[in-house]
Amino acid sequence: MDKISSLVGRYSFRARVFFNGVFCDSNAFAEDKTAGQLHLVRSGPVVFRHEGAPALRVTQPAMVFYPRGTAHVLEIPDGASATLLCAHICFEDGGANPLARALPTCLYQPLAGMPALAHTLELLFAEAAGKAQGRDVILDRLCDVLMIQVLRHEFESGTLSVGLLAGLADRQLAPALGAIHARPHEPWQLETLAREACMSRARFTEHFRNVVGMPPGEYLTRWRIGMAQDLLRKGMPVKVVSSQAGYTSAPAFTRAFTALVGVSPRQWLKEGVPAM
């Protein structure tokens, strides 16, 4: 399985369209820790504002995406109107989802600059313009497809700086990350991961931290616990999960899980605590 497919399979998300049509007002979006907001501007002008950045004025077809639900304001200048399609992108782990964390706070791309998305956008806008039965469901699914293509575009363009996708795009780190993802149950040590990357231990540790944004050991633990959460949701016993996640015993797994998540695996399941 390719890198993007394996990540999307592990860190799932779903789209839900909440606006489709002509807009001539303003709307303030509060910080949302459970979902990002995708705005497709079919025609402008539209002004986007969020703290810590200059206002973004969009006058051509473009995508503006806030993957981690950053508070922002969407404004249409007085006397103007814009055609928009907007969707919530609900990541399974909310803003903690590695896919969401790998993207910038605000991702802006003119649609003309992403020709590989043209066919999906054509289908999306054609469906949005109609009133056929099942339109809402189809729009949601097409937004799902669009988001995967956006992730692929960011991955292939090499514009990512720090994060999981940047690590996978890195020629030296990709083999080590791929090994962790494919075989999390193995007794990985820093030396063996460094060998996967064909690097010295010290150089690997420094490079991994700079690109991915955390030490290799922390990443390994987060990946294992995230995988364990998926298995626990499916009803697998803690003892079996601990082995598949690479821990020598259920108590060792429980200690690692509790240290990262804040509650034990059984308590996490009982309380329905969101994934870390």
Side-chain angles (χ1 to χ4, degrees):
M1 183 180 293
D2 65 84
K3 297 169 184 175
I4 295 296
S5 295
S6 65
L7 285 173
V8 172
R10 164 66 183 85
Y11 294 113
S12 62
F13 60 85
R14 66 186 185 281
R16 180 173 58 82
V17 173
F18 64 86
F19 183 83
N20 169 35
V22 177
F23 191 68
C24 55
D25 201 350
S26 64
N27 194 9
F29 295 83
E31 182 180 10
D32 188 342
K33 295 185 181 298
T34 63
Q37 286 75 46
L38 169 68
H39 305 288
L40 293 175
V41 180
R42 299 178 63 186
S43 63
V46 185
V47 178
F48 293 89
R49 305 180 190 276
H50 67 273
E51 187 176 354
L56 173 63
R57 184 179 177 87
V58 178
T59 58
Q60 59 183 318
M63 174 195 71
V64 180
F65 180 37
Y66 294 89
R68 294 183 292 283
T70 302
H72 62 284
V73 176
L74 182 159
E75 299 176 345
I76 309 300
D78 291 342
S81 63
T83 305
L84 302 167
L85 190 148
C86 306
H88 292 300
I89 308 299
C90 304
F91 290 98
E92 185 175 72
D93 305 345
N97 187 299
L99 292 178
R101 292 204 310 265
L103 296 170
T105 298
C106 177
L107 178 60
Y108 164 68
Q109 283 282 0
L111 298 186
M114 298 187 292
L117 278 62
H119 185 55
T120 302
L121 288 166
E122 181 182 354
L123 290 173
L124 183 64
F125 292 149
E127 192 66 33
K131 296 182 179 180
Q133 294 291 319
R135 183 188 68 167
D136 291 347
V137 175
I138 291 174
L139 288 177
D140 290 350
R141 298 299 179 269
L142 286 172
C143 282
D144 285 340
V145 173
L146 182 69
M147 287 311 306
I148 296 171
Q149 291 180 314
V150 168
L151 289 169
R152 180 168 62 189
H153 177 271
E154 292 301 298
F155 178 79
E156 293 178 345
S157 67
T159 58
L160 300 166
S161 55
V162 175
L164 177 55
L165 296 184
L168 288 172
D170 186 277
R171 178 178 57 84
Q172 291 177 292
L173 295 184
L177 286 167
I180 290 173
H181 297 169
R183 306 187 304 278
H185 57 278
E186 288 197 12
W188 293 111
Q189 300 293 328
L190 191 55
E191 291 81 1
T192 55
L193 289 173
R195 282 200 296 270
E196 291 283 341
C198 297
M199 302 173 75
S200 70
R201 172 174 166 166
R203 176 60 182 147
F204 172 72
T205 301
E206 179 185 12
H207 190 53
F208 194 103
R209 185 193 293 269
N210 289 339
V211 174
V212 180
M214 66 182 73
E218 180 182 344
Y219 181 84
L220 175 62
T221 297
R222 287 183 173 275
W223 183 269
R224 284 173 166 173
I225 298 302
M227 184 196 76
Q229 288 173 324
D230 286 344
L231 298 176
L232 289 168
R233 287 191 194 99
K234 295 174 182 176
M236 191 172 291
V238 170
K239 185 176 181 179
V240 177
V241 171
S242 64
S243 175
Q244 294 203 14
Y247 292 91
T248 55
S249 67
F253 165 66
T254 297
R255 287 193 296 272
F257 190 104
T258 304
L260 185 63
V261 180
V263 294
S264 70
R266 290 185 173 85
Q267 190 69 19
W268 177 78
L269 283 172
K270 181 181 178 181
E271 297 180 357
V273 179
M276 59 84 189

